[in-house]
Amino acid sequence: LAPRDGPYTMLMPLSFAQRNPGLHANLTISFQPEVGFTSAPSYRGLLRFMSATEAEQIPERGADSACRAGSATSPVWAFHNYLSWSTANGSGPGQIYDHVYAYGQPANASEWAAAAALASFAQFQALVEGYQAHLFS
């Protein structure tokens, strides 16, 4: 459907206001269906595939998909295909916006999972609103 897929990462909410985020501006497809982003299980879901000790070693602010932001992050998160919740925000070199930590510093894995759910909701909301903004253009 689209000549180029993705991006499959978190995007800044305002980028969804573009006609087709991640695609060339002159394309005339009505909707870019291949835009995606990270999803996270609930805290109880985390405990189904990792121990409570490993779950509590939550990814640090700005952690990449290999969980390399800090040494405290458990490699178990990387093993289970952790995808980064961070976006380069364009305000300067090395400036990273972490969509989970935007809701505050989580004290534990339960708070991290709740903030990740809010970040995921915000991405879906921005996607739908961006689509509706260009629905008939």
Side-chain angles (χ1 to χ4, degrees):
L1 181 62
R4 182 173 153 232
D5 294 342
Y8 295 114
T9 58
M10 299 296 281
L11 298 173
M12 295 302 288
L14 287 178
S15 67
F16 289 104
Q18 298 171 4
R19 176 73 174 154
N20 288 301
L23 288 179
H24 190 272
N26 294 331
L27 292 176
T28 57
I29 63 173
S30 59
F31 178 58
Q32 161 60 323
E34 293 294 332
V35 173
F37 34 82
T38 304
S39 183
S42 66
Y43 177 68
R44 288 179 58 192
L46 284 174
L47 297 181
R48 292 185 65 133
F49 61 88
M50 62 175 66
S51 71
T53 303
E54 292 162 339
E56 291 302 325
Q57 295 176 356
I58 57 177
E60 295 181 357
R61 179 187 304 268
D64 64 8
S65 294
C67 295
R68 291 184 291 226
S71 58
T73 304
S74 170
V76 173
W77 284 77
F79 176 79
H80 287 290
N81 201 24
Y82 168 80
L83 297 175
S84 178
W85 289 76
S86 300
T87 304
N89 67 8
S91 64
Q95 296 295 316
I96 302 294
Y97 180 82
D98 192 299
H99 297 265
V100 171
Y101 283 80
Y103 296 98
Q105 175 76 31
N108 52 41
S110 178
E111 288 184 11
W112 186 92
L118 288 172
S120 184
F121 174 82
Q123 290 284 294
F124 278 109
Q125 181 180 16
L127 174 70
V128 170
E129 289 175 357
Y131 171 66
Q132 288 178 334
H134 298 289
L135 189 60
F136 299 106
S137 59

